[in-house]
Amino acid sequence: MTRQEFLRQFIIVRKCAKCGEILLPQLAGTAFCDSCRIEWNAALTYSCNVCLKSAIECDCMPKALSSAGALCLRRVFFYDKDKSYSAPMSTIFWLKYKKSKRMVSFIGEYVAQSVSDELKSFGYPENLDSFIVTHVPRSRRAKALYGFDQSKMLARNVAKRIGVKCLSVFGSASKKQQKSLSTKARMANAKKSIAVREKVDVRGKYVVLIDDVVTTGASMASCVSLLRKQGARGILCFALTSKNNK
């Protein structure tokens, strides 16, 4: 037994991300107890209001993203604010505010599977040098408040799983958090608050762009536009969740 295995089994106490029940050692690497995991699995099957496909299969995306030139938007599930205490919504809370490596790993497995499936159409895994993983940057205010960038953590986890290089392509110049703004204000803030870092080269690359939650798609669309201007061959967008389509 390794030291890490010993710690997980006898020392570290893991709890369900939703109900707080102490997890058995064999479940210590997961996010939920058995009953809450059923709720999580059910949410993965909920269908899009437009195309009637599950979130992971849905081809719909916000107008801002399609106009910017994104090739796709894939997400793990559709979020519902009316079910704020559900197992799926608890993953958003833990990812955004808790800096939980366990949650990042749990979510990363789902996102990485979606990414690898999508990239097969573009030569993956044979041509790994053709791909880059990056993320939508967290606002300066939120990063200072919580001390980390959750999308960066998720992007690194996904990149490691699929064997693709992860780069921090963007920097955030705005202190405003997108969630506090109207749709129109989100678009304006995103355009002026995100910039490409110096000496970053994405020319001719397929870029996997990762975020945690996509609402209007403003921040992600701004990143897509910048990547296209920098000469990216194609941009594929992935997220933990997004609003259901109308």
Side-chain angles (χ1 to χ4, degrees), residues 185-226:
R186 283 173 184 255
M187 296 298 297
N189 185 58
K191 288 181 180 179
K192 67 181 181 181
S193 66
I194 300 175
V196 176
R197 296 179 184 273
E198 294 183 5
K199 299 181 180 180
V200 171
D201 187 4
V202 298
R203 290 174 295 177
K205 304 288 187 179
Y206 286 109
V207 181
V208 174
L209 180 61
I210 292 178
D211 203 358
D212 59 341
V213 180
V214 175
T215 307
T216 63
S219 296
M220 190 167 263
S222 180
C223 291
V224 170
S225 297
L226 289 170

Side-chain angles (χ1 to χ4, degrees), residues 56-142:
I56 205 72
E57 299 173 328
C58 175
D59 294 315
C60 306
M61 62 176 131
K63 185 177 179 180
L65 266 182
S66 57
S67 298
L71 297 180
C72 69
L73 170 63
R74 303 295 184 198
R75 73 290 274 172
V76 179
F77 67 90
F78 295 115
Y79 73 81
D80 186 347
K81 287 186 176 180
D82 294 332
K83 298 180 179 179
S84 58
Y85 295 105
S86 66
M89 293 299 286
S90 69
T91 62
I92 300 175
F93 175 80
W94 279 80
L95 186 64
K96 278 184 172 294
Y97 308 119
K98 291 294 185 178
K99 197 179 182 179
S100 171
K101 293 182 179 180
R102 178 169 59 117
M103 185 58 73
V104 169
S105 180
F106 176 78
I107 295 167
E109 183 176 357
Y110 287 89
V111 178
Q113 184 61 57
S114 178
V115 172
S116 61
D117 289 344
E118 194 70 34
L119 293 189
K120 288 177 182 177
S121 301
F122 302 92
Y124 177 85
E126 288 79 12
N127 303 312
L128 293 180
D129 291 340
S130 298
F131 306 99
I132 291 174
V133 175
T134 191
H135 68 283
V136 177
R138 194 169 203 176
S139 72
R140 288 171 57 190
R141 180 179 179 182

Side-chain angles (χ1 to χ4, degrees), residues 221-241:
S222 180
C223 291
V224 170
S225 297
L226 289 170
L227 287 167
R228 285 174 57 84
K229 289 179 182 178
Q230 293 294 317
R233 188 175 181 180
I235 304 99
L236 301 96
C237 301
F238 298 85
L240 166 62
T241 185

